[in-house]
Amino acid sequence: MIKPTNKFVVAKRSIVVPQEIRVEKSDVGVIKSENKNHASIFFIRVWEQVELNRNDFEIIDVRKT
């Protein structure tokens, strides 16, 4: 079986960026880069890359959806 190369995530909560909700709870994104505490995630619905704390998202297995 082929293993996916991208890590897909789902937002655990809405993310507010300067007075505007950019990312809504349950939005799906792809991790572009990550370190121990944060990750840069490209969210598909809003077509934007956002820096998030590890507590704000969880990794999902898209093969199970």
Side-chain angles (χ1 to χ4, degrees):
M1 178 178 263
I2 298 172
K3 188 173 184 176
T5 57
N6 294 321
K7 288 184 185 176
F8 287 86
V9 300
V10 64
K12 289 183 170 180
R13 64 179 185 89
S14 294
I15 309 298
V16 178
V17 181
Q19 306 302 323
E20 185 178 335
I21 295 178
R22 298 258 188 204
V23 177
E24 295 178 0
K25 184 177 179 179
S26 300
D27 274 353
V28 175
V30 178
I31 294 178
K32 293 298 185 182
S33 65
E34 61 186 323
N35 63 32
K36 184 178 174 183
N37 300 317
H38 296 87
S40 181
I41 302 169
F42 180 78
F43 282 96
I44 299 163
R45 183 184 64 80
V46 293
W47 211 251
E48 284 191 39
Q49 195 159 315
V50 180
E51 292 286 327
L52 293 182
N53 186 314
R54 288 250 180 224
N55 297 329
D56 295 333
F57 66 88
E58 66 180 83
I59 297 173
I60 59 171
D61 185 350
V62 294
R63 295 172 296 174
K64 294 181 180 179
T65 59

